[in-house]
Amino acid sequence: TREVVEILIEIAGRDYKKLRMIDKGQPFEKVEQYSDITKAKKILGWEPKVELREGLTRTFKWYQEKRKN
């Protein structure tokens, strides 16, 4: 979703205009696509252990470290 992309841009410290979307010309955001964990909570009893921003930050830092090696 747009929220995820905006958080990643902020974490990466990049300017949005410099990024290139790789989805073969698809629109940046489709209205019918969104993330909702309600079903996972209801059926599986699952709840996230970290907030979205924190999880994305950890993942981004992990990826940066792996690229160095």
Side-chain angles (χ1 to χ4, degrees):
T1 65
R2 184 177 194 95
E3 178 186 10
V4 172
V5 172
E6 288 173 351
I7 292 170
L8 287 171
I9 290 168
E10 184 180 318
I11 292 168
R14 303 288 177 157
D15 182 14
Y16 171 80
K17 294 176 185 175
K18 294 179 183 177
L19 294 179
R20 177 172 62 100
M21 298 307 287
I22 305 175
D23 196 2
K24 297 182 181 179
Q26 294 298 318
F28 176 78
E29 179 179 22
K30 295 181 180 178
V31 176
E32 70 275 5
Q33 292 181 342
Y34 62 93
S35 299
D36 184 359
I37 61 170
T38 304
K39 194 171 185 179
K41 284 181 179 181
K42 183 178 178 180
I43 295 172
L44 305 172
W46 178 85
E47 293 203 26
K49 293 180 181 179
V50 296
E51 294 291 325
L52 177 61
R53 179 178 297 278
E54 177 64 24
L56 290 173
T57 300
R58 290 181 189 182
T59 302
F60 186 80
K61 287 179 180 178
W62 174 86
Y63 180 74
Q64 284 183 313
E65 288 300 314
K66 293 298 177 186
R67 283 189 62 191
K68 290 179 185 177
N69 297 331

